[in-house]
Amino acid sequence: MVRTERLTLAGLPLLAQVPERPKALLLALHGLQGSKEGILSLLPGYAERGFLLLAFDAPRHGEREGPPPSAKSPRYVEEVYRVALAFKEEARSVAEEAKERFGLPLFLAGGSLGAFVVHLLLSEGLRPRAALAFIGSGFPMKLPKGQVVEDPEVKALYQAPPATRGEAYGGVPLLHLHGTKDLIVPLERMEKTVEALRPHYPEGRLARFLEEGAGHTITPLMARVGLAFLEHWLGG
């Protein structure tokens, strides 16, 4: 039996899917224009297999004061990565408080921008048992024509992307799941991420899964493969 609850962690409202006998925590981070409800709806079966799912809205998303960054804004890139940087800090605080409250091993999953946040967290020393990066990468987006980055923290993401700091990931098991027809986060950017990280990973702890014909969406097949990966590392 799985129940849905609203709770507060690190001062933030969260949505939780709570199994009868939870074995682990899974903090799920949504993408740009997404929401806590949206990311949880894309991970069916996880709670039934013992994962206590936690999700909260990123800054400027969902229940929080918005709107999300718009591609029409001349500062779009900076706005997107300001959201990502704030989302990362909040996710760290939520993860730490959740581990303390529930006393369960922590896992991470992120979709699109949320996957980039997963990379930020790993590159800054957060140590979940394992992590999923759906339809995302450890490199920031290519700058749209005419846009410049002036914000120093966002500039730093372009000068030293998370994926170039693979030694800081600590070998945390990480699975990238991607569609071959993704036009938002091109497949090459995910492949570049895995290539950059591989020298810093022991055999078997860094993996990729490609779904032929899939675009920029977390598909049911990706969700099932991700669940199997997490279960492997929960038992390992």
Side-chain angles (χ1 to χ4, degrees):
M1 190 71 159
V2 174
R3 66 184 188 276
T4 299
E5 293 184 2
R6 293 182 69 91
L7 50 89
T8 301
L9 288 171
L12 294 164
L14 278 81
L15 198 60
Q17 291 182 352
V18 186
E20 196 169 334
R21 295 183 179 83
K23 302 174 184 176
L25 299 169
L26 177 61
L27 178 57
L29 306 173
H30 68 77
L32 196 65
Q33 309 284 341
S35 67
K36 57 187 181 299
E37 293 83 3
I39 189 67
L40 292 183
S41 74
L42 295 170
L43 301 174
Y46 283 61
E48 287 79 1
R49 299 298 285 266
F51 288 93
L52 195 168
L53 273 68
L54 299 169
F56 66 98
D57 291 321
R60 299 179 59 175
H61 286 73
E63 297 178 13
R64 304 177 70 175
E65 187 174 350
S70 167
K72 295 179 181 179
S73 169
R75 314 303 299 179
Y76 176 64
V77 170
E78 289 190 348
E79 291 177 25
V80 167
Y81 289 109
R82 290 309 314 172
V83 167
L85 289 165
F87 201 14
K88 176 255 300 182
E89 289 302 321
E90 292 174 345
R92 180 189 298 279
S93 297
V94 167
E96 290 171 354
E97 192 168 314
K99 284 197 298 182
E100 187 174 329
R101 179 183 294 194
F102 295 104
L104 295 169
L106 173 71
F107 292 78
L108 289 180
S112 194
L113 186 68
F116 184 76
V117 173
V118 166
H119 278 280
L120 282 174
L121 289 164
L122 296 179
S123 72
E124 294 183 8
L126 190 68
R127 293 291 177 264
R129 183 77 65 88
L132 303 176
F134 291 101
I135 58 174
S137 84
F139 288 92
M141 73 173 80
K142 183 179 179 181
L143 283 175
K145 187 176 180 180
Q147 293 220 359
V148 295
V149 171
E150 295 176 355
D151 182 293
E153 288 189 282
V154 177
K155 262 187 179 177
L157 295 179
Y158 279 86
Q159 292 165 349
T164 64
R165 293 178 269 140
E167 70 282 353
Y169 283 52
V172 169
L174 176 60
L175 171 63
H176 285 84
L177 305 104
H178 220 86
T180 60
K181 302 297 185 182
D182 193 328
L183 301 179
I184 305 299
V185 179
L187 176 58
E188 306 83 71
R189 191 136 49 95
M190 184 278 282
E191 298 281 21
K192 181 181 176 183
T193 299
V194 173
E195 183 182 344
L197 292 175
R198 195 164 298 286
H200 306 284
Y201 261 81
E203 187 69 29
R205 298 174 77 89
L206 179 65
R208 58 193 266 287
F209 171 78
L210 300 183
E211 184 169 349
E212 187 64 39
H216 192 68
T217 186
I218 300 173
T219 68
L221 178 57
M222 289 181 196
R224 291 195 299 273
V225 172
L227 176 56
F229 184 81
L230 296 188
E231 288 188 311
H232 172 80
W233 292 104
L234 177 60

